[in-house]
Amino acid sequence: MQNETDRTEGLARALADAGLIQFGRFAQPDGGVWPVAVHLDWLPSYPDVLRQAARALAPLMDGLGVDRVLAGPGALPVGVALSFETGVPLVYTVSEMRSAADAFAIEGAYDVGHPTVLLSNLLLDAAQAESLTALAGRVGLEVRAMLAVLDLGLGAREALEAGGWIVRSSLTLGRALPVLEAAGTLPPAMRARVQTWIKDCRNDPACG
C-alpha cells in the first residue's frame, strides 16, 4: 500500500508534470506578481491526476465523523472523485444563485444536521471557507472540518485552526518544492524565490 510520503511526492510531481502547478512570473488582478500559478480547475482534463488527487485526499477523511462532503466553488470534479473513493455522498455549491433562498445555493441530497467536511481545491483564503461554512449552516449542514488538495502555506490554515477548524491538505506548496527540485522540474533559484515569497506573504497576508 502506498504510504503518505509516496502519495504526497507522487501528487506533487503529477501536478507539476501536467502543468497544474507552474513556476515563473504571473501577474495577479491586483497588480501583484506571484512566482507560482495553480490551475487545479484543469484537473478534469487529466483524469489520472484527478484520481490521484482523490486518492491522496481519501485517507484524510479518517476520524472526521462526517457523512457529507461539501464541494466549494471549483472543487466539484475533485468532490465527485473523492465521493467515488470514499462512498461519502457529495453536495456542492451552485455556480450562480438561481433564487434568493439560501437552500438553492447548495445542491444535492442532504437534510438538517449532517456532519460535513468542506472541500476546496486550494487553501488560500480563510475568509472564503468561513463564508461557505456560514452558508452551509443556514441550510442545516454542520461543517466540522476542511480538506484541500493544495495548501499554499500563506497562513490560511493557521487562521482557520485558531478559529477551531480541523484543516487537512493532501499537499503543501512548501513540501512540494524539494520534491520538484529533486525531480529536475524546479531550478534551485526558483525554489528559493518561491520560499521567500511564501515567507513574505505569511508576514504580509495582503500579498496573497
Side-chain angles (χ1 to χ4, degrees):
M1 181 178 292
Q2 191 180 41
N3 63 36
E4 180 182 355
T5 298
D6 290 341
R7 283 195 301 267
T8 297
E9 294 184 357
L11 181 59
R13 290 192 297 268
L15 292 174
D17 289 347
L20 304 184
I21 300 177
Q22 300 173 357
F23 300 95
R25 288 179 56 84
F26 302 95
Q28 303 301 304
D30 64 1
V33 177
W34 286 16
V36 62
V38 181
H39 301 289
L40 297 186
D41 51 328
W42 298 352
L43 274 168
S45 294
Y46 301 90
D48 289 342
V49 184
L50 175 59
R51 185 182 301 111
Q52 196 168 343
R55 288 177 175 171
L57 285 167
L60 305 182
M61 298 275 287
D62 292 348
L64 294 181
V66 300
D67 65 14
R68 290 294 185 277
V69 174
L70 170 59
L76 181 55
V78 176
V80 172
L82 180 60
S83 185
F84 275 128
E85 284 291 321
T86 63
V88 177
L90 178 72
V91 296
Y92 50 94
T93 55
V94 297
S95 57
E96 61 182 64
M97 294 296 290
R98 295 169 297 173
S99 166
D102 286 332
F104 285 92
I106 295 178
E107 286 279 14
Y110 62 89
D111 206 341
V112 173
H114 284 293
T116 301
V117 60
L118 175 62
L119 174 65
S120 177
N121 284 342
L122 188 65
L123 182 52
L124 173 63
D125 184 0
Q128 182 188 50
E130 291 165 348
S131 175
L132 287 170
T133 298
L135 173 63
R138 289 197 294 272
V139 300
L141 295 172
E142 298 178 1
V143 176
R144 296 185 173 183
M146 182 173 183
L147 295 183
V149 176
L150 177 65
D151 178 3
L152 286 184
L154 305 185
R157 174 194 292 269
E158 291 80 2
L160 288 168
E161 289 178 339
W165 285 69
I166 298 171
V167 183
R168 299 174 179 175
S169 62
S170 52
L171 181 65
T172 65
L173 182 57
R175 190 170 178 182
L177 295 178
V179 174
L180 298 180
E181 182 181 358
T185 303
L186 183 65
M190 179 57 73
R191 173 187 172 177
R193 182 180 168 201
V194 176
Q195 288 174 322
T196 298
W197 173 76
I198 292 172
K199 181 179 178 181
D200 290 346
C201 284
R202 290 178 68 87
N203 292 331
D204 179 13
C207 87

